[in-house]
Amino acid sequence: MTRFADLTWLNPPLHSELRGEDLLVRTRNATDFWHKTFYGFQRHSGHFLHQTVTGDFSAEVTVVGQYDHLYDQAGLMARLDETHWVKTGIELTDGAIHLSVVITNGQSDWSLFQCPVKPDGIRIRLTRHAESIRVQYLDSEGHWKIARLGYLPPREAIEVGVMCCSPEREGFEVLFKNLTIGTAIARQLHE
């Protein structure tokens, strides 16, 4: 398991607190990661607690959030720089919980689908294989399901960790549990 205490903040939140091996975070107002597409603005103000890794990796975390306002979001992020990154997690939109993925290569895109989330959260995984980024979630039957396969430039070093944002308010609370960042899972896409 990766220790939250060993990671570094990009844009520290309003509050963060270690609870044993878990991390509780409370967001600042109007925080987000987005780059140009559709809305026209650029935001790089979201909270991102990370470490730098080299080569391929897999990162996993369980996310438990108090999703009350539009676009409240929390999950994983991998970042090369301000214009090349991927974030994935649980997000509130259109009054429902969704699994959301944004991949940014100069411009952001956004994909999402409704996803049931148990009270004890949902486990998500982000994997890099060279230029390929794979997003998965653990379904209620304990199977990893693919949510997205995308592209990021294949640079050696990349920042990886947990992220959360609340574009419409201050004080979104999220608990991150059982973070692991380590060796990439096998490239095989289907079991």
Side-chain angles (χ1 to χ4, degrees):
M1 189 159 45
T2 303
R3 290 172 23 100
F4 289 108
D6 295 335
L7 308 182
T8 303
W9 281 109
L10 171 69
N11 308 321
L14 184 65
H15 175 79
S16 65
E17 169 187 335
L18 289 173
R19 291 192 171 175
E21 297 296 318
D22 301 337
L23 176 69
L24 177 72
V25 177
R26 189 173 311 117
T27 60
R28 293 186 184 279
N29 186 41
T31 51
D32 202 2
F33 291 103
W34 188 260
H35 204 75
K36 298 181 183 178
T37 306
F38 192 76
Y39 303 104
F41 57 73
Q42 299 174 67
R43 292 199 181 144
H44 208 72
S45 58
H47 311 300
F48 177 41
L49 184 63
H50 66 278
Q51 69 181 52
T52 300
V53 300
T54 56
D56 294 346
F57 69 86
S58 284
E60 294 182 20
V61 73
T62 299
V63 181
V64 182
Q66 300 298 315
Y67 302 93
D68 294 325
H69 287 69
L70 182 64
Y71 305 130
D72 283 352
Q73 59 192 270
L76 292 168
M77 185 170 189
R79 177 184 178 273
L80 294 171
D81 56 40
E82 283 194 19
T83 60
H84 298 88
W85 46 265
V86 58
K87 67 175 179 175
T88 183
I90 303 306
E91 182 168 352
L92 181 67
T93 188
D94 296 324
I97 298 295
H98 291 75
L99 182 69
S100 171
V101 183
V102 174
I103 297 178
T104 300
N105 284 302
Q107 300 277 119
S108 292
D109 68 24
W110 185 29
S111 63
L112 67 159
F113 60 89
Q114 277 192 299
C115 184
V117 177
K118 296 185 265 181
D120 59 348
I122 187 167
R123 190 140 185 94
I124 55 176
R125 179 193 285 159
L126 181 62
T127 299
R128 177 171 84 162
H129 295 290
E131 79 290 347
S132 299
I133 293 291
R134 181 186 350 179
V135 175
Q136 297 171 284
Y137 68 99
L138 197 60
D139 72 10
S140 60
E141 297 170 3
H143 299 103
W144 284 104
K145 301 291 186 182
I146 191 160
R148 182 85 182 267
L149 189 61
Y151 172 83
L152 278 180
R155 296 187 201 150
E156 183 62 19
I158 191 167
E159 297 168 340
V160 180
V162 296
M163 72 82 202
C164 55
C165 307
S166 56
E168 301 292 316
R169 68 158 167 158
E170 176 180 286
F172 168 50
E173 283 195 359
V174 60
L175 184 68
F176 295 102
K177 301 174 6 179
N178 303 315
L179 173 66
T180 61
I181 302 171
T183 304
I185 61 171
R187 278 186 73 97
Q188 178 180 329
L189 280 180
H190 308 282
E191 294 178 14

